[in-house]
Amino acid sequence: MLALEPGGRPEPVTGRDLYDDPGFFARYQQLRDAAAGLNEALEQPSLALLLPSVTDSDVVELGCGAGALARRLARAGARSVLAVDAAARMLGRAAARPHPRVRYLRADIETLDLPDGGTDLVVSSLALHYVADYQGVLARVSRWLRPGGYLVFSCEHPICTARDPMTGWLPLGEGSIWPVDHYDRETARVQNWLGTPVVKHHRRLSTLVGGVLAAGLDLTGLDEPQPVPGTLVGRPDLEQHCRRPPLLLIAARKPAGLGVPVSGLRRRPWRMGRRPAGTGGT
């Protein structure tokens, strides 16, 4: 249950506790079951294009939720997938659909540590905007990766998290605008999402990309997916995301060793399958 402030208002909930709140969890599952969010329409197709081949790879997923991506990675040929989430309710749903090469672990991304050089790919879907110590997580991820290994993640776009608090669209005359304010102030923000005040962390684009480089990784992909016209036929609610990017996706690679060049900025298709026509992205 949400705790209440002295004035009777709900206290903001951090990411590690959010999905174990029964009211929020029920509303979130309704959103996902109805495919009414951004995951299926925008985020997952873009993520698929940035992921490398996972054949015979050891994978770690940070913030696995109900385990859909972890299972897809295993079916795509991953040797092992360690799927991590802090929410017991999410892991309960994930465990209801087991896969022999997927192991679930309840742990907080902020404190999780794994053996150095033990994984080929670390992937995270819409979880790192809940993390306070972004640079600390990236430093640990860099240690976990084998030479030549990849980090691929998505988060809310800094344009969306900039205003404090995160109020969303504001009316202007007969239309609306998306406010961008306090962009340079990198602090926690509160957003009222699905009826719950949620804590998220705003970072500038330069901080998000620069953090990857500071961790010793080479940037290999960057995307800001928006709906394509075909998607809007079935999901007219997505039209607002043509006006400003809702998501940012970043892919990076740990250098394979001295004297081994790593290609510059590019997309790397996921061998599991290409983006279905008309499902989002640019």
Side-chain angles (χ1 to χ4, degrees), residues 153-222:
F153 70 91
S154 62
C155 61
E156 288 203 47
H157 200 286
I159 285 178
C160 292
T161 59
R163 194 162 194 260
D164 187 11
M166 296 168 59
T167 52
W169 294 97
L170 297 179
L172 179 67
E174 297 182 358
S176 61
I177 60 168
W178 185 268
V180 178
D181 198 7
H182 303 301
Y183 181 84
D184 193 56
R185 192 169 70 199
E186 297 185 311
T187 60
R189 307 289 202 252
V190 175
Q191 178 188 36
N192 194 329
W193 185 39
L194 298 179
T196 298
V198 180
V199 177
K200 297 179 179 179
H201 294 272
H202 168 68
R203 297 177 179 93
R204 297 175 298 165
L205 179 61
S206 58
T207 298
L208 291 165
V209 175
V212 170
L213 301 178
L217 306 177
D218 294 325
L219 194 67
T220 61
L222 192 67

Side-chain angles (χ1 to χ4, degrees), residues 18-270:
L18 179 62
Y19 293 88
D20 273 333
D21 175 74
F24 177 86
F25 184 76
R27 293 188 292 273
Y28 178 77
Q29 287 307 316
Q30 289 175 355
L31 178 77
R32 294 303 304 272
D33 292 344
L38 297 180
N39 303 72
E40 291 80 6
L42 292 181
E43 189 260 350
Q44 286 296 306
S46 180
L47 192 74
L49 283 180
L50 291 175
L51 284 165
S53 170
V54 296
T55 303
D56 296 326
S57 295
D58 296 310
V59 179
V60 173
E61 183 186 2
L62 302 178
C64 67
L69 177 58
R71 291 188 293 271
R72 293 210 311 270
L73 290 164
R75 291 195 297 267
R79 179 170 47 232
S80 69
V81 181
L82 175 62
V84 181
D85 204 286
R89 289 177 184 273
M90 280 295 190
L91 293 177
R93 280 185 66 109
R97 300 182 63 186
H99 189 286
R101 293 194 301 280
V102 177
R103 178 167 68 94
Y104 295 104
L105 173 66
R106 188 182 183 191
D108 186 352
I109 296 173
E110 299 261 18
T111 57
L112 174 70
D113 208 359
L114 299 172
D116 293 358
T119 187
D120 301 294
L121 168 67
V122 175
V123 61
S124 182
S125 173
L126 298 177
L128 293 188
H129 47 249
Y130 295 125
V131 168
D133 186 12
Y134 173 74
Q135 196 60 58
V137 170
L138 293 186
R140 280 181 277 124
V141 166
S142 182
R143 287 195 289 102
W144 303 341
L145 289 174
R146 296 179 177 124
Y150 284 87
L151 166 67
V152 183
F153 70 91
S154 62
C155 61
E156 288 203 47
H157 200 286
I159 285 178
C160 292
T161 59
R163 194 162 194 260
D164 187 11
M166 296 168 59
T167 52
W169 294 97
L170 297 179
L172 179 67
E174 297 182 358
S176 61
I177 60 168
W178 185 268
V180 178
D181 198 7
H182 303 301
Y183 181 84
D184 193 56
R185 192 169 70 199
E186 297 185 311
T187 60
R189 307 289 202 252
V190 175
Q191 178 188 36
N192 194 329
W193 185 39
L194 298 179
T196 298
V198 180
V199 177
K200 297 179 179 179
H201 294 272
H202 168 68
R203 297 177 179 93
R204 297 175 298 165
L205 179 61
S206 58
T207 298
L208 291 165
V209 175
V212 170
L213 301 178
L217 306 177
D218 294 325
L219 194 67
T220 61
L222 192 67
D223 200 7
E224 300 170 288
Q226 292 180 285
V228 296
T231 310
L232 298 176
V233 174
R235 290 283 307 273
D237 60 298
L238 295 177
E239 190 276 335
Q240 61 177 308
H241 303 302
C242 296
R243 299 175 57 193
R244 58 96 180 92
L247 305 173
L248 177 69
L249 289 93
I250 295 176
R253 187 185 185 198
K254 186 171 183 175
L258 291 176
V260 179
V262 176
S263 300
L265 183 64
R266 68 190 185 279
R267 297 181 182 220
R268 300 180 60 87
W270 191 7

